[in-house]
């Protein structure tokens, strides 16, 4: 219960799916948690603006799956401090404002979890647009870079930090008809390893978790027959659970993971193995 006691975490893309589950897991482990997302209950989304962020953002903006502030409430019931912040990872000004707010409220930022991502750009190369390619890189790769850069001085000041980037096993295996997603997730691994070298003498570890097919709201939008095909290509023959990703992240954020840095850890149920 106290694995992360006394630590403060900032989590991006935390209104649903992996981000929300990781936020709750960190709260259960004793951390104070800043829950950030592009979508937040008390700031209704503009439908046209959300469309610029992709089909998934536009879809979930109008559902009950916007749970940024309700996640905050759940964490506070665990007797941990928490706050919810609307934040776009492609906007350095919004990130800087959010980081300042968290530091003012909690004193410091010990843990950064980069989970915000775009994955709905699906088209063969000939039908890709420059706009959507740029969006994938801007959110997944540059967004991760923006957030790390914003919290780095605070971690450096206290000589302690844990940065965990949610990449994807698709960054290593490739993603059919998703060149922007595959390239940006691979780039996150390169960024992780490069910054692990910089953080090594500063008390800052930087690692990546590479999920496989996880049972999130986004994945469950697929048709049942497609979900069966996905399960059949996984060695353990089932989808992963969000809490199985959260467990790995909580460990990487803990004191006990201090000798792990620059790692890219697949949590895939064997989906990245050669499976007949």
């Amino acid at each position: 219960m106290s694995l992360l006691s006394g630590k403060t975490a900032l989590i991006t893309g935390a209104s649903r799916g992996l981000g929300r589950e990781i936020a709750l897991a960190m709260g259960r482990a004793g951390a104070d948690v800043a829950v950030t997302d592009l979508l937040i209950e008390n700031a209704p989304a503009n439908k046209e603006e959300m469309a610029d962020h992709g089909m998934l953002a536009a879809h979930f903006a109008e559902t009950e799956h916007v749970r940024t502030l309700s996640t905050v409430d759940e964490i506070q019931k665990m007797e941990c401090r928490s706050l919810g912040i609307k934040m776009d990872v492609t906007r350095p000004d919004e990130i800087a404002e959010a980081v300042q707010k968290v530091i003012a409220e909690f004193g410091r930022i010990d843990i950064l979890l980069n989970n915000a991502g775009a994955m709905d750009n699906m088209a063969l190369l000939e039908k890709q647009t420059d706009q959507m390619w740029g969006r994938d890189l801007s959110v997944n790769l540059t967004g991760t870079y923006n957030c790390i850069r914003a919290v780095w001085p605070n971690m450096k000041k206290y000589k302690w930090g844990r940065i965990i980037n949610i990449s994807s096993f698709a960054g290593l295996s490739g993603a059919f008809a998703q060149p922007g997603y595959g390239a940006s997730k691979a780039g996150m691994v390169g960024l992780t390893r490069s910054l692990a070298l910089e953080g090594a003498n500063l008390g800052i570890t930087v690692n990546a978790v590479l999920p496989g097919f996880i049972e999130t709201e986004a994945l469950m939008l697929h048709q049942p027959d497609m979900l069966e095909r996905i399960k059949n290509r996984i060695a353990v023959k089932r989808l992963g659970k969000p809490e199985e990703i959260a467990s790995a992240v909580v460990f990487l954020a803990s004191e006990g993971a201090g000798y792990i840095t620059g790692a890219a850890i697949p949590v895939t149920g064997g989906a990245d193995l050669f499976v007949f």
Side-chain angles (χ1 to χ4, degrees):
M1 292 295 293
S2 60
L3 196 64
L4 302 180
S5 181
K7 303 299 184 186
T8 294
L10 188 155
I11 301 177
T12 71
S15 73
R16 59 182 170 79
L18 291 183
R20 171 177 155 81
E21 184 58 43
I22 291 167
L24 294 172
M26 287 194 177
R28 286 190 289 268
D32 298 325
V33 184
V35 182
T36 77
D37 201 277
L38 186 66
L39 301 172
I40 188 167
E41 294 94 320
N42 65 359
N46 178 286
K47 190 172 182 179
E48 290 184 4
E49 177 189 349
M50 287 304 104
D52 290 339
H53 290 278
M55 292 183 296
L56 284 179
H59 168 79
F60 283 112
E62 299 183 339
T63 71
E64 73 280 6
H65 296 301
V66 178
R67 292 175 288 183
T68 304
L69 298 180
S70 66
T71 302
V72 168
D73 290 340
E74 289 186 54
I75 294 169
Q76 289 175 342
K77 289 174 183 176
M78 301 172 192
E79 300 186 353
C80 293
R81 295 178 296 173
S82 185
L83 68 155
I85 304 172
K86 179 178 172 62
M87 189 182 84
D88 181 344
V89 299
T90 69
R91 295 283 303 274
D93 57 331
E94 290 189 14
I95 299 167
E97 184 178 341
V99 166
Q100 290 171 6
K101 185 172 183 178
V102 175
I103 292 173
E105 191 83 16
F106 298 150
R108 56 192 281 183
I109 296 174
D110 304 290
I111 301 160
L112 171 65
L113 186 281
N114 285 304
N115 175 70
M119 59 177 294
D120 56 359
N121 174 21
M122 301 187 70
L124 295 174
L125 182 62
E126 293 90 340
K127 295 186 178 181
Q128 284 288 322
T129 67
D130 291 346
Q131 178 188 3
M132 293 305 289
W133 166 266
R135 191 283 310 262
D136 286 349
L137 268 64
S138 178
V139 175
N140 297 343
L141 183 54
T142 306
T144 297
Y145 165 83
N146 289 340
C147 292
I148 295 174
R149 197 173 186 197
V151 305
W152 194 269
N154 190 253
M155 292 181 175
K156 183 177 178 180
K157 175 181 176 181
Y158 291 102
K159 301 188 187 314
W160 202 96
R162 298 285 188 267
I163 296 170
I164 303 106
N165 302 320
I166 300 298
S167 176
S168 168
F169 86 104
L172 302 182
S173 68
F176 182 77
Q178 288 185 289
Y181 183 75
S184 60
K185 290 298 184 177
M188 288 175 70
V189 174
L191 180 64
T192 295
R193 295 191 187 281
S194 297
L195 296 183
L197 289 169
E198 287 194 40
N201 293 322
L202 303 174
I204 303 170
T205 67
V206 189
N207 292 292
V209 171
L210 282 56
F213 297 102
I214 309 300
E215 199 172 299
T216 63
E217 296 92 335
L219 184 68
M220 299 312 289
L221 293 175
H222 286 84
Q223 295 296 321
D225 60 337
M226 176 58 74
L227 291 174
E228 282 304 310
R229 287 181 61 190
I230 289 171
K231 291 177 187 177
N232 286 333
R233 68 146 294 176
I234 301 170
V236 301
K237 302 301 180 188
R238 68 171 176 85
L239 301 176
K241 301 181 184 301
E243 54 266 35
E244 292 173 311
I245 302 298
S247 296
V249 170
V250 168
F251 172 68
L252 289 172
S254 71
E255 290 279 2
Y259 204 59
I260 301 173
T261 195
I265 303 172
V267 186
T268 67
D272 53 335
L273 302 175
F274 182 72
V275 180
F276 286 97

